[in-house]
């Protein structure tokens, strides 16, 4: 795919850098994030129409502050500096940056001067989102200040080919942030040609060019990423060269294996269904530690795929549904390795020692772009809009040991929960909703008798990307009806609780 002639975003370690990329792509422009250590040569190869310098947690005065040769960079394309990016431009071009005595953090009101190019067509006063310790005290020669905050501090500056904002237009709290990116793109004379159609056809052509010989093995999970990957490959190479494997590990939701398999067949994929339920349940016996469960499930998946490979000697490629956030070489704001909270073993992460060449058609895309591409490729809407489901499935929603009986309880309760969300038109307002079976028995009373049965926890969260999440605030009447149905219809449960923990401090799953 021809990925040049878009925008290059130089990452100086801001937690919002990927948002800049998403904003531009949402506006229809190709954009790519590169770390500030990238060479000028590499940037030139991308033939960018415009270059954006991100924010970052540093001060330009710090000895280890990230640097860039702005004088050379500005020769390549027009620039847009954001926060640290603005300060770096000012510092390198002879302006004065200093510590701000007034701290501006969060919502701030700014006023634009009427003659600015980048803000043309919008109201003169607006709310923006700030997060900085330094300010540009005086702008370099050839620049003018184009916006000030209500404290009369500089909020934006510009010259002929360089624009810069002290605030973050990529953050949703900034009003009209998109307009600033759109105006910048227009000033750069970029063409909006990033759409599901061009991306889909471009990726299909890339696959044809890359996979000249050999067949492809594609692991399906029932989720959107692996389904779109399989669909792209099938469009490019034909169903007979793309061997999709869908494993029933016995840890799927009620009837999911049969339903998903049927749907895969209907959309024309060549799918091999492998029912390995007894293998998985056997190996999970007496295992209670969540990480142990993940490791066993991950290992068994690999064994099943390896077994399938022995029947498919013509396969030389392995497809993976890796997405852009996993591959983007971004700068960690405060350095150091990040701690592993949960090891995510799933079908997207098969090891490379399978001696197959790896193909990752979605590695340029964000999740929402994958969804749009899926619709363009003709995948059914319910599949595209399904809540995310973890690779280890219900095993990490049964706290403690997994058994056929506990699986049946969770499957039944889960179906009631999800059906009721759909009935009340709530399914799409929620990022993920599920039930967790607790290894706790409590006393209850049903009919005339005393019961001593398990507790079921309900979890429903809203989220943008799964990194942070808030619990969903249901109407009490909805919870009442749901709790009633579950305790009446699912034997083994006599108490239902609702989880009101956000992430952080909790995680979305309980294990
Ligand atoms: P947590 O629980 O870490 O979950 O807040 C964030 C998102 O990741 C999913 N998740 C997993 N997905 N394998 C997966 O494929 C796993 O082991 C796994 N653990 C959590 C979770 O459902 C949520 O969408």
């Amino acid at each position: 795919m021809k990925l040049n002639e878009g925008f290059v975003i130089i990452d100086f370690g801001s937690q919002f850098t990927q948002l800049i990329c998403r904003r531009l792509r949402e506006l229809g422009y190709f954009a790519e994030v590169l770390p500030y250590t990238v060479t000028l040569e590499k940037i030139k190869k991308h033939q960018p129409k415009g270059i954006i310098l991100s924010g970052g947690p540093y001060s330009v005065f710090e000895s280890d502050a990230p640097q860039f040769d702005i004088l050379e960079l500005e020769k390549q394309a027009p620039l847009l500096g954001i926060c640290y990016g603005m300060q770096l431009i000012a510092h390198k071009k002879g302006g004065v940056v200093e510590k701000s005595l007034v701290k501006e953090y969060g919502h701030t009101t700014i006023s634009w001067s009427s003659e600015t190019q980048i803000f043309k067509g919008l109201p003169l006063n607006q709310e923006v989102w700030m997060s900085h310790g330094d300010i540009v005290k005086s702008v370099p020669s050839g620049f003018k200040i184009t916006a000030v905050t209500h404290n009369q501090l500089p909020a934006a500056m510009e010259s002929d080919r360089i624009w810069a904002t002290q605030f973050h237009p990529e953050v949703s709290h900034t009003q009209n942030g998109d307009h600033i990116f759109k105006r910048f793109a227009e000033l750069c004379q970029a063409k909006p040609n990033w759409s599901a159609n061009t991306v889909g056809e471009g990726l299909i052509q890339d696959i044809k060019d890359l996979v000249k010989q050999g067949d492809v093995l594609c692991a399906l999970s029932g989720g959107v990423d692996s389904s779109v990957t399989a669909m792209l490959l099938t469009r490019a190479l034909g169903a007979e060269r793309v061997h999709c494997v869908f494993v029933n590990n016995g840890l799927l939701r009620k009837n999911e294996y049969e339903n998903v398999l049927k749907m895969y067949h209907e959309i024309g994929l060549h799918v091999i269904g492998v029912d390995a339920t007894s293998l998985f349940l056997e190996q999970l016996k007496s295992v209670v530690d969540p990480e142990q469960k993940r490791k066993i499930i991950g290992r068994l998946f690999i064994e099943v795929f390896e077994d399938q490979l022995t029947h498919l000697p013509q396969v030389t490629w392995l497809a993976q549904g890796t997405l852009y956030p996993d591959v983007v070489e971004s700068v960690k704001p405060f350095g150091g390795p990040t701690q592993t909270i949960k090891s995510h073993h799933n079908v997207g992460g098969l090891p490379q020692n399978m001696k197959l060449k790896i193909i990752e058609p979605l590695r340029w895309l964000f999740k929402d772009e994958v969804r749009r591409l899926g619709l363009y490729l003709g995948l059914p809407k319910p599949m595209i809009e399904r809540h995310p489901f973890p690779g280890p499935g219900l095993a990490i929603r049964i706290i403690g040991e997994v058994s056929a009986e506990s699986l049946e309880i969770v499957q039944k309760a889960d179906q009631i929960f999800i059906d009721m969300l759909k009935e009340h038109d709530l399914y799409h307002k929620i990022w993920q909703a599920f039930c967790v079976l607790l290894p706790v028995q409590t006393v209850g009373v049903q009919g005339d008798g005393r019961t001593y049965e398990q507790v079921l926890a309900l979890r429903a969260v809203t989220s943008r990307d799964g990194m942070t999440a808030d619990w969903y605030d249901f109407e009490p009447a909805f919870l009442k009806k749901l709790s009633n149905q579950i305790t009446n219809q699912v034997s083994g449960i006599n108490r239902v609780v609702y989880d009101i923990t956000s992430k952080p401090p909790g995680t979305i799953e309980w294990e």
Side-chain angles (χ1 to χ4, degrees), residues 294 341-346 388-392 396-397 431-432 434 466 503 506-511:
R294 282 190 170 82
I341 310 286
K342 294 175 189 183
S343 56
H344 285 198
H345 284 285
N346 54 29
F389 187 67
I396 55 167
R397 293 178 178 173
W431 164 269
Q432 229 172 334
F434 53 90
K503 173 183 179 175
T507 51
I508 295 177
E509 304 289 346
W510 276 41
E511 285 201 330

Side-chain angles (χ1 to χ4, degrees), residues 395-464:
I396 55 167
R397 293 178 178 173
I398 293 169
I399 311 298
E401 189 181 348
V402 179
S403 64
E405 297 73 40
S406 55
L407 275 165
E408 203 186 326
I409 293 177
V410 181
Q411 283 175 336
K412 269 193 185 158
D414 177 84
Q415 192 173 35
I416 294 172
F417 191 10
I418 300 299
D419 284 352
M420 205 182 240
L421 287 176
K422 288 182 178 163
E423 255 169 51
H424 286 73
D425 215 11
L426 292 171
Y427 185 79
H428 298 300
K429 297 190 176 130
I430 288 167
W431 164 269
Q432 229 172 334
F434 53 90
C435 301
V436 185
L437 185 64
L438 309 188
V440 176
Q441 282 177 292
T442 65
V443 175
V445 52
Q446 264 167 324
D448 288 334
R450 174 192 190 273
T451 58
Y452 190 53
E453 290 175 338
Q454 272 176 280
V455 181
L456 186 90
L458 303 172
R459 180 92 165 125
V461 294
T462 54
S463 175
R464 214 188 141 107

Side-chain angles (χ1 to χ4, degrees), residues 68 95 196 467 490:
F68 212 96
M467 303 296 284
V490 186

Side-chain angles (χ1 to χ4, degrees), residues 336-342:
T338 46
Q339 206 189 348
T340 302
I341 310 286
K342 294 175 189 183

Side-chain angles (χ1 to χ4, degrees), residues 461-477:
V461 294
T462 54
S463 175
R464 214 188 141 107
D465 48 19
M467 303 296 284
T468 58
D470 284 315
W471 55 276
Y472 188 78
D473 196 4
F474 287 115
E475 294 290 330

Side-chain angles (χ1 to χ4, degrees), residues 289-360:
D289 175 63
E291 281 303 279
Q292 194 67 21
K293 287 181 187 172
R294 282 190 170 82
K295 291 208 169 84
I296 292 170
I297 294 164
R299 174 173 57 76
L300 292 177
F301 263 126
I302 292 161
E303 283 177 23
V304 173
F305 288 112
E306 277 173 343
D307 182 50
Q308 290 303 312
L309 263 182
T310 59
H311 311 298
L312 298 165
Q314 68 277 41
V315 166
T316 52
W317 293 86
L318 176 69
Q320 298 204 337
T322 318
L323 302 190
Y324 193 53
D326 302 323
V327 295
V328 63
E329 220 187 312
S330 48
V331 179
K332 295 261 176 308
F334 298 101
T338 46
Q339 206 189 348
T340 302
I341 310 286
K342 294 175 189 183
S343 56
H344 285 198
H345 284 285
N346 54 29
V347 292
L350 296 176
Q352 307 203 355
N353 63 6
M354 283 178 123
K355 295 202 179 64
L356 298 174
K357 287 171 275 186
I358 303 287
I359 179 166
E360 296 172 319

